[in-house]
Amino acid sequence: MKQVVGMVVSNKMQKSVVVAVDRLFFHKLYNRYVKRTSKFMAHDEHDHCNIGDRRKHWVVAEILKKARIYQPPSPSSADSNTTTQSPLSPSSS
């Protein structure tokens, strides 16, 4: 069976993930390359996949690259920093 590489877009199921696989093909009329995406469900026996991981095959063969997941700051640390000005907020002058 052919192996494909894609990115995990959903891991909300038990022992299953949804993987998006991109492919390029040449369109003869427009003389351009066109990108199409196909979504496949893949079996993940040990629930190691997270959103953004790169996957192979319809049965998960291996994780090629782990995704960095954003962790928002906790509310307790935000309260202590109320006097400091964030770099994205407009200046008071």
Side-chain angles (χ1 to χ4, degrees), residues 2 4 6 10 14 17 35 39 43 46 48 50-51 53-56 62 65-66 69 73-74 76 78 83 88-89:
K2 180 180 178 181
V4 293
S10 174
Q14 295 177 354
V17 291
K35 181 171 120 176
K39 290 184 180 181
H43 182 69
H46 303 290
H48 291 305
N50 286 321
I51 295 175
D53 291 351
R54 300 211 175 255
R55 304 303 313 187
K56 273 182 133 175
E62 63 181 300
K65 180 180 173 185
K66 291 293 280 183
I69 299 174
S74 63
S76 61
T83 59
L88 297 178
S89 64

Side-chain angles (χ1 to χ4, degrees), residues 9 19 32 51 66 88 93:
V9 293
V19 180
R32 299 273 190 268
I51 295 175
K66 291 293 280 183
L88 297 178
S93 55

Side-chain angles (χ1 to χ4, degrees), residues 70 84-92:
Y70 173 72
T84 62
Q85 188 177 14
S86 68
L88 297 178
S89 64
S91 61
S92 60

Side-chain angles (χ1 to χ4, degrees), residues 4-61:
V4 293
V5 176
M7 185 174 291
V8 176
V9 293
S10 174
N11 64 347
K12 296 181 189 241
M13 299 168 281
Q14 295 177 354
K15 296 188 177 185
S16 297
V17 291
V18 177
V19 180
V21 177
D22 294 329
R23 62 186 169 90
L24 285 174
F25 67 94
F26 189 75
H27 198 288
K28 293 178 183 177
L29 178 64
Y30 298 128
N31 201 23
R32 299 273 190 268
Y33 281 96
V34 181
K35 181 171 120 176
R36 293 291 159 99
T37 302
S38 300
K39 290 184 180 181
F40 299 104
M41 292 183 67
H43 182 69
D44 180 21
E45 181 64 36
H46 303 290
D47 285 332
H48 291 305
C49 297
N50 286 321
I51 295 175
D53 291 351
R54 300 211 175 255
R55 304 303 313 187
K56 273 182 133 175
H57 212 262
W58 286 268
V59 174
V60 173

